[in-house]
Amino acid sequence: MTASPDALRQAPLYRVLHALAKGETSSEALTGACLAAIARDGHLNAWTWVDAAGALAAARASDDRRAEGKPLGRLDGVPIAVNDNFNVAGMPTSLGLPGHPGLADEDAHAVRRLRGAGAVFLGKTNIDEAAFGTVGRNPHHGDVRNPLHPDRAAGGASAGAAAAVAAGHAIAALGSDTLGAVRIPAAFCGLVAHKPTFGEISCRGMAPALRRLDCVGLVTRTVQDAGLLLPVLTGYDAGDPRSRKRRVPLAPPDWVPGELKAGVVADLSVLGVDASVAESFSAVMARVAPVFGSALPVALEVAPLEVAATRRAALLLMEAEILAAHETRLDGASTRLRWLLDFAKRKTAADFARADLRLDQHVVRVRRLFEQFDVLLLPTTAAPPPAYGADEPANLADLTALASLAGCPALSLPLPGGLGLQLVGAPGSDLRLLELAGVIAAVADTGE
């Protein structure tokens, strides 16, 4: 029995793994189909670097291993996209900036883990300039187009990663998430995104935006796919000063949904959430209520957290870190980026200390929330995808920032119209969050 490579490139990861294991297709055929789609869809501006020769060579090597009955790992032969802020040996890491930075000598830690499992790397995907944005805008490599909603923004900063998976260029993508950079584009492009607990996946070899918040993020077609990738990537890395060394394993997926204490964000209009987003969120909450049995979701007021103001404090720290980490790369940066970074130059050391203290306060407040609740439910974005080329909404990342600022795991499920349903758990509850997201996706028919 054979499976069409052109159909498989748009299939979930678990289906692709089955097809490769059963010999229904080859990695070379699947990789070739992905590369052909990338070439056809150049108008999406999803890619900044494509290594066709390298990908096909890796695919053929995978097929040889399978023929010998010696697959390298669970992802052997699977075509993967990588955000252009991760180092991949032999490829440039543009960080969405102009110029050619040279070729990376070695893989980022997360890339090395995927390579060790047999993944085939197609190339690097487009991001907002310096990974600083929410709509996929890049004046040097072109703005990313949304394959699902062509007249709408693709989201950002991991815009190219989401567009690549949505268009069937890759089976899954490795992205980055500082304040929502995988969850926003995944929602806009009809995909699943998982931002793990802070420090759960090493960020070594990933160009920093704000190391205090930076996370490796996963963009997939289904929750199950994210669950397949997470174990490959997690683990302590002594080379990353923020890598999370667990005393105990990740909390197992042992929640009884009918006994869950769920907090549902209720003050959406106060938070500036668009009426259409609030309506969609209320409708999906009505559909998933049976999941929680007698422990019905409780309305949760998050306005006192002042997430928008704390996110702005994080942006100040991000601007300072981009200056410190990438100053030699900023020649030729856009007027917009230079204006944002100039704001940080005018601030004092005390201003940065106050911003850092504000983030600490948010961490404590969210910890207290999880003394009352097992999971928080809220929309992924405050507004639908803006029109392509329109001004970037100021509050687009307010709802994703809630989890990022506290180091919590978060997962976004796709909803119609480029919207998303977001689940946030306590640090370390990634596996439980994935299990619950799978149940909710099935009950709510999210289309993932």
Side-chain angles (χ1 to χ4, degrees):
M1 178 179 177
T2 60
S4 163
D6 210 45
L8 281 175
R9 68 180 175 82
Q10 302 176 78
L13 171 60
Y14 64 82
R15 171 69 183 105
V16 170
L17 291 175
H18 177 87
L20 289 169
K22 296 292 252 181
E24 296 175 8
T25 192
S26 67
S27 177
E28 183 177 6
L30 179 58
T31 300
C34 290
L35 290 169
I38 292 170
R40 285 196 301 269
D41 294 339
H43 65 285
L44 294 178
N45 291 323
W47 298 81
T48 57
W49 181 271
V50 178
D51 182 15
L56 288 170
R60 284 191 287 268
S62 172
D63 291 335
D64 290 344
R65 289 192 295 270
R66 286 193 182 274
E68 296 172 2
K70 298 177 181 178
L72 193 59
R74 74 187 308 174
L75 301 178
D76 211 344
V78 176
I80 298 287
V82 179
N83 232 32
D84 202 1
N85 56 346
F86 289 87
N87 287 341
V88 179
M91 300 185 195
T93 305
S94 82
L95 189 56
L97 293 168
H100 195 299
L103 305 181
D105 295 326
E106 60 183 15
D107 291 334
H109 185 272
V111 172
R112 181 164 58 83
R113 296 294 290 264
L114 292 174
R115 195 187 295 277
V120 171
F121 298 112
L122 298 163
K124 310 290 283 295
T125 51
N126 200 0
I127 61 176
D128 283 82
E129 187 181 26
F132 202 148
T134 58
V135 293
R137 186 163 296 156
N138 192 295
H140 315 294
H141 302 286
D143 295 351
V144 180
R145 301 302 299 252
N146 187 328
L148 192 67
H149 304 287
D151 61 336
R152 297 287 170 176
S158 301
V165 176
H169 298 172
I171 307 305
L174 193 67
S176 64
D177 194 309
T178 304
L179 287 166
V182 294
R183 287 164 286 161
I184 293 170
F188 286 4
C189 294
L191 300 167
V192 171
H194 179 213
K195 185 204 84 70
T197 296
F198 177 75
E200 190 59 43
I201 302 176
S202 171
C203 289
R204 181 157 56 101
M206 184 181 92
L210 178 55
R211 289 166 300 151
R212 172 172 177 150
L213 304 181
D214 287 343
C215 287
V216 175
L218 309 177
V219 180
T220 62
R221 294 194 174 95
T222 70
V223 174
Q224 185 176 343
D225 291 351
L228 290 168
L229 289 172
L230 185 64
V232 175
L233 292 162
T234 57
Y236 175 66
D237 173 22
D240 178 355
R242 289 168 175 76
S243 182
R244 181 170 178 257
K245 193 169 188 177
R246 293 187 247 106
R247 293 195 178 105
V248 295
L250 281 173
D254 58 357
W255 277 342
V256 178
E259 299 174 5
L260 277 178
K261 294 177 291 183
V264 177
V265 175
D267 47 357
L268 293 178
S269 61
V270 175
L271 298 174
V273 173
D274 186 89
S276 64
V277 173
E279 182 179 352
S280 173
F281 179 68
S282 296
V284 76
M285 283 299 95
R287 292 200 299 275
V288 304
V291 170
F292 299 97
S294 59
L296 293 175
V298 175
L300 168 67
E301 303 294 328
V302 298
L305 292 177
E306 298 182 316
V307 175
T310 307
R311 181 184 63 82
R312 289 193 291 273
L315 289 176
L316 174 60
L317 297 175
M318 189 183 301
E319 290 155 3
E321 185 146 343
I322 290 171
L323 275 172
H326 310 299
E327 190 165 13
T328 59
R329 296 282 316 281
L330 295 174
D331 289 343
S334 69
T335 301
R336 168 189 173 273
L337 182 60
R338 290 198 304 271
W339 180 81
L340 289 170
L341 301 184
D342 284 344
F343 178 75
K345 290 178 180 178
R346 296 193 297 270
K347 295 297 181 179
T348 67
D351 291 327
F352 295 112
R354 279 190 287 269
D356 199 52
L357 286 170
R358 186 177 185 103
L359 267 64
D360 283 347
Q361 293 166 356
H362 179 84
V363 171
V364 172
R365 289 169 179 165
V366 174
R367 282 178 182 171
R368 289 173 180 159
L369 280 182
F370 284 108
E371 293 173 358
Q372 308 169 53
F373 301 106
D374 297 308
V375 63
L376 310 181
L377 302 171
L378 64 161
T380 301
T381 58
Y388 178 77
D391 291 341
E392 186 172 349
N395 67 338
L396 206 53
D398 280 359
L399 301 184
T400 50
L402 188 153
S404 297
L405 295 165
C408 295
L411 189 141
S412 177
L413 292 171
L415 297 177
L419 305 181
L421 170 64
Q422 189 179 187
L423 293 77
V424 178
S429 65
D430 297 68
L431 298 182
R432 291 173 167 178
L433 205 64
L434 286 164
E435 180 189 51
L436 179 61
V439 174
I440 287 178
V443 171
D445 190 23
T446 62
E448 57 88 65

